Amino acid sequence: MSPPQDLSRRQLLRRLALGASFTPFALMSLRQAFAAQPLLAVTAPEAKAVNYVEDAKSAKGAAAGDTCANCALYQGANGSLQGPCQLFKDKDVKAAGWCSSWAGQM
Ligand code: SF4
């Protein structure tokens, strides 16, 4: 073993130790980022203002296939059942939902 390799091994071990010490914080942040928020109630005034429904099939005025999941304002992960919408702070909407502010993705 040559000294430069020992040095890089030490550096690697230090970095691994440092990374391991931050792992719980990183996991906590990830958990918070993906934690579901409370669902928007269809009876909430802000939901009623845009005719929000939890099932786009029951929406009057929704084009076939338009749902929150394919709306430009939806911020849920692909395949998620619910997720944040840029219209409603601190509330999730159903991916299968719809409202009159639906916007196509570019
Ligand atoms: Fe759903 Fe889009 Fe309306 Fe938000 S703006 S509730 S994602 S249709």
Side-chain angles (χ1 to χ4, degrees):
M1 247 186 274
S2 66
Q5 279 182 329
D6 286 343
L7 268 179
S8 71
R9 188 173 298 155
R10 275 191 208 124
Q11 287 173 334
L12 176 66
L13 288 173
R14 259 190 230 131
R15 287 179 186 169
L16 284 174
L18 187 65
S21 67
F22 283 108
T23 298
F25 297 110
L27 288 176
M28 210 163 59
S29 296
L30 274 176
R31 227 178 279 133
Q32 286 170 347
F34 290 103
Q37 304 177 95
L39 267 176
L40 174 69
V42 293
T43 54
E46 63 269 34
K48 285 183 171 180
V50 290
N51 303 312
Y52 171 73
V53 293
E54 291 186 334
D55 182 359
K57 290 176 194 147
S58 67
K60 291 177 186 144
D66 289 354
T67 65
C68 291
N70 58 27
C71 172
L73 303 179
Y74 186 69
Q75 298 181 312
N78 280 343
S80 59
L81 295 178
Q82 67 183 64
C85 164
Q86 293 178 36
L87 284 187
F88 308 109
K89 187 177 185 299
D90 301 328
K91 298 283 182 188
D92 275 2
V93 295
K94 292 267 191 178
W98 181 87
C99 85
S100 57
S101 293
W102 183 91
Q105 297 175 346
M106 291 185 201

